[in-house]
Amino acid sequence: MPELQPARPEDALRGIGCVAAGFAIVTVSDAAVKWVLPEIGVAVAMILRGTIGALTVLTITGAWRAPGRVRAVNRRLMFWRCLLHCAVTVTFYFAWLRGMPLGDSYAVAAMAPLAMTLLAIPLLGEVVGWRRWLSTLAGFLGVLVMVRPGGDLWRWEAGLLLAGVGLMALTRLWMRVLSRTDRPAGVTFWLMVAHVPVGIAVLPLFPPLGWPSAGGLAAILVLGFGNACAHFLFARAFALAPVGLLAPFEYSTLVMGTALGLVVWGDVPATTTVLGAAVVVAAGLYNLYRERVRARLARAAGAG
């Protein structure tokens, strides 16, 4: 698999701006879906997210007049990425419906950048030195602190989320690969579209719970529109900048999600959750530092 060209400084800055804005938007969107899930259920939330999101992408990109903007080029990878991402959506929605706080779910999701470090070895041909192996191991130990027996996160939903986070890390890397062939509009549009058939498929497992209230309808609009905008920004960001530069911004959702959970639902994270999440974040940031050191040494060797 050919390597991606190094990002130019101006592209890297634009990528950082896109991914930071995307995570801010998706955190609000996640809070909206957590709010409305008890009213409509997991499957209906997915169907509405996909329908509203796809229409939003067609509108904001003008693809309804120029369908070529959302044409899928790497169709096989697009299909598998969309399918796995929908599986991730189901795991998070189910955990939130079961009452898992937003901040706790994001604490588990903080494993994604570390998982991306490991998956980048076989998928992108990256080399991971012993320091990054040790920091990644420390990150996994941080997860064990969070989900220790008897703790607030000692629940089977957390294990389900961990599996979902592994898939999410894979879809993040595949987004970077798709950026070589497909436009951000297409990557986002087909992801939104995929939520509709997957939502219909899981209806027997997650039947509709009822009609949404007025506040629920507003939350549904935020869910669909926000997810479309956020994932378009993600696709644009990963087309501009490398995974290692963008991955640490995943941690911003931990702060924002915890704050929203405290304000909206009064959720206060346990001390062990905060401690474990801090270890995971520190490990991820150290991995980013080591990646920058390796890149600087490689450039110096090339110049020499």
Side-chain angles (χ1 to χ4, degrees), residues 219-231:
I220 288 170
L221 292 176
V222 173
L223 159 67
F225 180 76
N227 266 282
C229 293
H231 283 279

Side-chain angles (χ1 to χ4, degrees), residues 60-144:
I60 64 177
T61 64
W64 62 276
R65 290 176 298 162
R69 295 178 183 175
V70 295
R71 181 173 65 91
V73 178
N74 191 344
R75 295 182 181 180
R76 173 180 291 185
L77 185 59
M78 186 81 77
F79 170 82
W80 285 111
R81 178 185 177 270
C82 290
L83 184 62
L84 291 189
H85 197 286
C86 288
V88 174
T89 301
V90 171
T91 61
F92 273 83
Y93 284 11
F94 180 68
W96 292 334
L97 182 62
R98 295 274 300 177
M100 178 173 282
L102 201 62
D104 285 0
S105 67
Y106 285 154
V108 176
M111 274 300 301
L114 296 177
M116 288 165 67
T117 297
L118 298 181
L119 289 172
I121 299 172
L123 295 179
L124 301 181
E126 292 189 4
V127 177
V128 175
W130 66 270
R131 294 179 182 86
R132 286 205 290 169
W133 275 113
L134 286 179
S135 64
T136 301
L137 176 61
F140 281 101
L141 293 177
V143 173
L144 294 181

Side-chain angles (χ1 to χ4, degrees), residues 153-177:
L153 276 181
W154 182 249
R155 46 195 298 179
W156 66 270
E157 293 92 345
L160 183 65
L161 274 189
L162 276 174
V165 168
L167 296 181
M168 182 169 68
L170 182 57
T171 64
R172 293 274 197 266
L173 293 177
W174 279 351
M175 187 189 303
R176 177 68 170 157
V177 176

Side-chain angles (χ1 to χ4, degrees), residues 9-25 230 233-234 236-237 240-241 245-246 249:
E10 59 270 24
D11 286 343
L13 286 175
R14 285 199 292 267
I16 289 172
C18 286
V19 82
F23 279 125
I25 294 171
L233 288 169
F234 292 153
R236 180 62 178 156
L240 290 169
L245 183 62
L246 301 178
F249 287 89

